[in-house]
């Protein structure tokens, strides 16, 4: 098995700054090579710090945001102005400070009465923006993920059948004991297809799980973050010292 590519940051601020550099590098490469940069962002405390740092970088004001298409990895099924919304997080930390065309912002819709219709609509949006064939998979230039203390990533949670969904681009994650409220998430084929994946892991509460993920036998139903094991060569793990405490 390919060994994980791990960068250990001093702290959460250093991790966020490393993520900013990775973002700008991936964006520059994509725009130079293909004229457009497709990115999918996650919510959470660690990505929030990255977005705040990115919004403060001087060159961001001159960045060609009209060549960027922004998507979300997952979303809670709440209104876009809810404090729990991943869209709202990005809107208040980054979108309000840059000049990105509204048509290039592709949030996961949460207005449908039936969540399945919302997931299918998001799949159609990806097919349209990426100009996909009927069974095509979008290839994001960068997907930004986090890992929970239970080993979940995106909204792929332990022992959920959604972990093995290979038939859809986006899937409904029903509400349950550990998932509240219900969510919509990109599926593993989409995550695996990305040209680059940045996995942000911060906090001492994740150190034991990270050790099990790296050193134990792969079991993606127990640790869904391991759905990325077939494409580890394209995954960069940005881990702060606290989270890396048991692998250093």
């Amino acid at each position: 098995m390919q060994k994980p590519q791990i960068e250990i940051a001093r702290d959460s601020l250093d991790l966020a700054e490393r993520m900013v550099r990775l973002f700008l590098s991936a964006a520059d490469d994509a725009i130079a090579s293909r004229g457009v940069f497709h990115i999918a962002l996650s919510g959470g405390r660690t990505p929030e710090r990255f977005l705040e740092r990115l919004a403060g970088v001087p060159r961001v004001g001159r960045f060609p945001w009209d060549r960027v298409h922004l998507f979300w990895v997952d979303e809670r099924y709440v209104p876009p102005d809810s404090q729990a919304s991943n869209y709202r997080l990005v809107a208040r930390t980054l979108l309000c400070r840059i000049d990105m065309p509204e048509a290039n912002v592709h949030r996961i819709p949460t207005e449908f009465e039936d969540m399945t219709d919302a997931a299918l609509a998001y799949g159609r949006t990806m097919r349209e923006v990426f100009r996909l064939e009927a069974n095509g998979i979008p290839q994001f230039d960068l997907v930004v993920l986090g890992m929970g203390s239970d080993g979940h990533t995106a909204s792929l949670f332990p022992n959920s059948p959604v972990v093995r969904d290979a038939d859809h681009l986006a899937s409904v994650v029903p509400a349950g004991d550990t998932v509240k409220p219900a969510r919509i998430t990109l599926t593993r084929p989409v995550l695996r297809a990305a040209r680059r994946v940045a996995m942000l892991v911060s906090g001492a509460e994740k150190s034991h799980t990270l050790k099990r993920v790296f050193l134990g036998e792969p079991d993606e139903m127990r640790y869904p973050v391991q759905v990325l094991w077939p494409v580890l060569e394209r995954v960069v793990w940005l881990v702060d010292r606290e989270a890396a405490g048991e692998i250093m």
Side-chain angles (χ1 to χ4, degrees):
M1 184 185 76
Q2 176 86 17
K3 287 187 176 181
Q5 304 175 62
I6 306 170
E7 293 187 22
I8 298 179
R10 293 186 305 276
D11 51 29
S12 59
L13 178 58
D14 183 34
L15 187 152
E17 290 175 345
R18 287 170 184 257
M19 185 61 232
V20 168
R21 292 194 292 271
L22 194 157
F23 171 93
L24 293 173
S25 173
D28 288 342
D29 289 350
I31 292 170
S33 300
R34 294 173 292 280
V36 65
F37 177 52
H38 296 99
I39 180 171
L41 292 175
S42 296
R45 184 183 71 235
T46 307
E48 181 177 9
R49 291 196 182 102
F50 148 61
L51 292 168
E52 290 171 345
R53 298 298 294 179
L54 178 63
V57 173
R59 66 169 290 203
V60 162
R62 307 184 303 274
F63 199 78
W65 292 107
D66 59 321
R67 297 192 180 190
V68 177
H69 280 269
L70 173 60
F71 289 79
W72 274 257
V73 168
D74 61 343
E75 183 60 276
R76 297 174 183 87
Y77 212 71
V78 296
D81 60 354
S82 167
Q83 291 199 8
S85 166
N86 288 341
Y87 163 78
R88 180 181 180 275
L89 169 67
V90 180
R92 68 176 176 79
T93 55
L94 180 65
L95 293 180
C96 66
R97 300 179 65 180
I98 63 174
D99 187 20
M100 178 180 283
E102 187 175 340
N104 291 17
V105 178
H106 310 287
R107 70 175 180 85
I108 296 175
T110 56
E111 296 82 22
F112 290 80
E113 185 174 345
D114 187 330
M115 289 184 65
T116 299
D117 292 339
L120 291 172
Y122 203 54
R124 287 194 298 272
T125 297
M126 284 184 274
R127 294 190 187 285
E128 291 167 5
V129 173
F130 284 87
R131 301 178 185 177
L132 298 176
E133 300 288 336
N135 295 316
I137 303 294
Q139 188 172 32
F140 283 95
D141 297 298
L142 179 63
V143 172
V144 182
L145 296 171
M147 187 195 79
S149 57
D150 60 356
H152 86 266
T153 194
S155 282
L156 305 179
F157 290 91
N159 301 312
S160 168
V162 180
V163 173
R164 291 188 171 151
D165 183 357
D167 298 323
H168 305 93
L169 302 184
S171 188
V172 174
V173 182
D177 292 339
T178 59
V179 182
K180 295 177 182 179
R183 307 179 184 203
I184 290 176
T185 185
L186 298 184
T187 56
R188 70 180 187 178
V190 179
L191 302 183
R192 287 177 178 175
R195 289 185 172 90
R196 294 195 209 185
V197 176
M199 181 65 67
L200 311 183
V201 188
S202 177
E205 73 278 5
K206 299 176 183 177
S207 61
H208 184 67
T209 299
L210 194 64
K211 178 181 178 181
R212 298 292 296 269
V213 164
F214 283 162
L215 301 181
E217 287 296 316
D219 181 353
E220 62 187 32
M221 290 302 290
R222 183 175 184 184
Y223 299 117
V225 70
Q226 292 179 326
V227 299
L228 295 169
W229 258 222
V231 296
L232 272 181
E233 73 278 2
R234 286 186 261 124
V235 182
V236 176
W237 295 74
L238 299 180
V239 183
D240 72 10
R241 286 189 177 275
E242 288 190 339
E246 296 193 30
I247 61 171
M248 291 173 61

